[in-house]
Amino acid sequence: FVLFFVWGVVAAGWNLLTGYAGIYSLGNIGFLAIGGYVSGILAKSLGLSPWITIPMGGIVTMVVVTLLLGLPALRLEGIYIALLTLIFADTLPSILTQTRDITGGHMGLHDIPPFFSGMEKVHAYYICFLFFLAAQYVIYRTIHSSTGMAFVALRDSEQFASSLGVSRYKERLKVFALSSLLTGLAGGFYVHSLG
């Protein structure tokens, strides 16, 4: 169930990006990896609390993805965005291997500290369940707001949405930022649940 909640947030973030905004992304697993590695490395090497490193991992993921994928995606359409995000996700294993001193290479990180000392799996279950509910609430509120309406309008008819004053630039950056933030946070919850 811990994995179910984490992957549920990843799938919901992907649905927000692809289903509601119509931006075809194949790189969301890369978003998960960035959030997980940033949170795990900070908690393990600097001894910071996971409650600090998980939001930091989400924010780093959001900034990296928005700058490296969101901005170039503004100039691309359809399959080209999917290819860009796939290339992004496919380069991460090479980067992780090249930085094996920090990331652990192909073996990954080990002995990542749990949410709190003495944590059992049932505690991780409830923590991830609350995270899942909070993420679903954020996505629900986004979808049922003017921002969500703008996502759907741009997906269905970009010219019509633009004629109504919807900014393609602003809305695409928003959806990349929100989707990558939630997926990066899910990566942090993933690594601190499993160690």
Side-chain angles (χ1 to χ4, degrees):
F1 280 104
V2 168
L3 292 178
F4 167 80
F5 295 135
V6 169
W7 288 111
V9 173
V10 173
W14 191 21
N15 184 41
L16 183 67
L17 193 61
T18 304
Y20 283 93
I23 300 170
Y24 299 107
S25 171
L26 299 173
N28 287 52
I29 298 302
F31 308 170
L32 179 83
I34 292 172
Y37 269 99
V38 168
S39 183
I41 289 168
L42 290 175
K44 187 176 175 179
S45 63
L46 299 180
L48 296 174
S49 167
W51 301 110
I52 296 171
T53 62
I54 291 172
M56 290 172 70
I59 291 169
V60 167
T61 304
M62 179 181 69
V63 169
V64 167
V65 169
T66 304
L67 291 177
L68 294 180
L69 293 179
L71 290 176
L74 294 172
R75 301 173 85 57
L76 301 173
E77 295 290 330
I79 190 70
Y80 299 107
I81 296 174
L83 291 173
L84 176 68
T85 57
L86 181 63
I87 290 167
F88 174 78
D90 281 348
T91 58
L92 284 178
S94 298
I95 293 170
L96 295 174
T97 301
Q98 296 301 321
T99 57
R100 70 178 60 89
D101 296 338
I102 300 169
T103 63
H106 67 282
M107 297 298 291
L109 292 174
H110 297 285
D111 302 322
I112 298 170
F115 295 114
F116 55 88
S117 61
M119 184 186 85
E120 296 178 14
K121 288 294 180 189
V122 70
H123 300 130
Y125 166 83
Y126 285 112
I127 290 169
C128 289
F129 178 57
L130 290 175
F131 166 64
F132 173 78
L133 291 178
Q136 296 307 318
Y137 178 75
V138 167
I139 290 173
Y140 176 83
R141 295 293 297 178
T142 301
I143 291 168
H144 293 90
S145 68
S146 59
T147 299
M149 193 180 305
F151 293 164
V152 173
L154 284 170
R155 178 197 70 197
D156 291 343
S157 178
E158 190 174 316
Q159 291 177 344
F160 181 67
S162 296
S163 71
L164 293 176
V166 175
S167 171
R168 177 179 183 249
Y169 177 82
K170 187 170 88 172
E171 299 306 326
R172 278 199 168 184
L173 285 182
K174 275 188 202 176
V175 74
F176 265 105
L178 182 58
S179 177
S180 61
L181 174 68
L182 291 173
T183 308
L185 291 172
F189 279 91
Y190 179 83
V191 300
H192 291 288
S193 296
L194 301 181

